[in-house]
Amino acid sequence: MTKIAERAIDSADDSVTEPVKKPRMDPIDLLIALEEAVDVPLRPEFIEGMAIVPPQPGDAHNRGAGELYFQLRSAGFQLAGLGNGFRSGIKGERTQGLLIPDFYVLRRLPSEVDEAYCRAHKGWYSVDLLDLVGEVTSSNHETDTGPKYRTYAAAGVPVYVLIHRDEKKAYAYSDPKPGDESAKARYATKVEVELGRALPLPEPYPALDTSVFLAG
């Protein structure tokens, strides 16, 4: 069993990260190998050269993420979703990121070309499909506020919603700036509210009621 697999089994509450320098295999295959190496369910991701095994989400996390997904669906955004994984890469070639948002809204219904891309990349859709992504923090809040924030911005995802339960705040980031050699990827616009208040989102999205997070 690999070192990271052993750490994944031993860590029930905290995320596990492992640096991958010049991987000999594509990160997609790396995550498949990680899943096959352990007997517990994993949802690993690959972000900024790190294989990451997030902590198992609790009921309060899932209930809150599900409520925000429901609000988006109820507002008419029928392409809001849960559970799919998304790949970012350089010119569609070398894999840079493999992410599974807590909830999202797609730009369009996946086409035959999109489904072919997903099959070619072993279950990962292109990040180009995403118009909005949302993350709800657990004990791994540094991942959501740092590496995931930068990866979504670098990929040009227009809106990033972050529910930071540790800070008891909600954020809506927009206007992604991909970054260059002198600056890291970032979002130029940030809206911030206390949990429990409505979080305004860029048009055409509705404000999100974050009060569900006060219960858990």
Side-chain angles (χ1 to χ4, degrees):
M1 182 179 295
T2 64
K3 176 183 177 183
I4 186 172
E6 292 174 350
R7 292 176 63 201
I9 291 174
D10 292 339
S11 179
D13 299 317
D14 298 321
S15 62
V16 175
T17 62
E18 192 76 7
V20 181
K21 296 182 179 179
K22 297 181 180 179
R24 297 178 182 177
M25 64 177 74
D26 187 281
I28 293 174
D29 296 318
L30 174 70
L31 297 193
I32 290 173
L34 175 58
E35 290 175 321
E36 292 176 345
V38 299
D39 297 324
V40 296
L42 297 178
R43 299 179 74 238
E45 298 171 289
F46 182 80
I47 309 167
E48 293 189 342
M50 302 284 288
I52 295 178
V53 181
Q56 292 295 324
D59 177 73
H61 173 285
N62 290 340
R63 180 161 33 89
E67 171 63 23
L68 298 186
Y69 156 79
F70 178 75
Q71 289 180 36
L72 290 165
R73 291 277 295 189
S74 297
F77 292 91
Q78 298 303 305
L79 295 183
L82 302 163
N84 284 332
F86 297 89
R87 173 187 179 272
S88 64
I90 297 176
K91 297 181 180 180
E93 298 174 358
R94 182 161 58 88
T95 299
Q96 283 190 308
L98 299 167
L99 304 105
I100 306 172
D102 288 324
F103 60 94
Y104 54 82
V105 179
L106 301 181
R107 298 175 187 268
R108 62 180 184 275
L109 191 68
S111 66
E112 291 184 5
V113 172
D114 295 317
E115 295 295 350
Y117 179 101
C118 184
R119 290 192 296 272
H121 294 93
K122 303 178 182 180
W124 297 88
Y125 285 98
S126 171
V127 74
D128 292 339
L129 277 172
L130 292 170
D131 194 61
L132 176 150
V133 292
E135 300 286 356
V136 178
T137 64
S138 294
S139 59
N140 63 328
H141 51 84
E142 295 91 348
T143 300
D144 295 329
T145 59
K148 279 195 174 184
Y149 167 90
R150 291 188 292 271
T151 300
Y152 287 134
V157 178
V159 182
Y160 176 32
V161 176
L162 173 64
I163 305 299
H164 200 312
R165 294 191 295 164
D166 187 61
E167 290 184 351
K168 295 181 172 54
K169 291 185 178 181
Y171 300 89
Y173 298 99
S174 59
D175 192 15
K177 303 299 181 184
D180 52 33
E181 293 181 358
S182 62
K184 294 182 179 179
R186 63 184 179 88
Y187 284 93
T189 303
K190 178 179 75 171
V191 176
E192 172 185 340
V193 299
E194 299 291 329
L195 282 186
R197 300 186 62 185
L199 175 65
L201 301 184
E203 293 184 355
Y205 293 108
L208 296 178
D209 178 4
T210 67
S211 61
V212 65
F213 293 99
L214 297 182

